[in-house]
Amino acid sequence: MKISAAALLIVLSVARLAAGDVRVTPLVREGRVWVSFGFNDGLTPELRQAVLSGLPVTFTYDIELRRGVPFWPDRVLNTMTIAVSVTYDTL
């Protein structure tokens, strides 16, 4: 399947950049690519303190789905921006 090769490229690219700190799990189903990711210790002490004080912290992820092309720049199949907010409930 063509999409699974692109999903594998995402996994390999992220793993190479993050040196194993990011866990990426792709799932290809019915022509769609679903990706979940996670990481440990992703907050700096300053961000951790801000979250624990009750301030909302928003992370923005720019995601590109690419298809690897030998001897040529990879082709971008799709892009997406996702924003996730973290808020600690002090009650």
Side-chain angles (χ1 to χ4, degrees), residues 14-36:
V14 170
R16 194 174 335 127
L17 290 174
D21 293 336
V22 176
R23 294 176 313 280
V24 179
T25 306
L27 174 64
V28 179
R29 183 174 290 159
E30 297 176 7
R32 292 180 177 232
V33 178
W34 301 89
V35 179
S36 65

Side-chain angles (χ1 to χ4, degrees), residues 5 17 19 25 37 45 47 50 56 64 67-69 72-73 79 82 86 89:
L17 290 174
T25 306
F37 63 96
L47 276 177
E64 290 185 345
R67 175 172 297 164
V69 180
W72 201 255
T79 61
I82 299 173
V86 177
D89 186 359

Side-chain angles (χ1 to χ4, degrees), residues 17-75:
L17 290 174
D21 293 336
V22 176
R23 294 176 313 280
V24 179
T25 306
L27 174 64
V28 179
R29 183 174 290 159
E30 297 176 7
R32 292 180 177 232
V33 178
W34 301 89
V35 179
S36 65
F37 63 96
F39 52 91
N40 294 327
D41 300 325
L43 298 177
T44 64
E46 294 82 11
L47 276 177
R48 184 180 310 267
Q49 195 61 33
V51 170
L52 290 175
S53 72
L55 291 174
V57 176
T58 301
F59 297 94
T60 303
Y61 302 98
D62 295 318
I63 301 166
E64 290 185 345
L65 179 62
R66 295 175 174 249
R67 175 172 297 164
V69 180
F71 310 111
W72 201 255
D74 293 342
R75 182 174 157 216

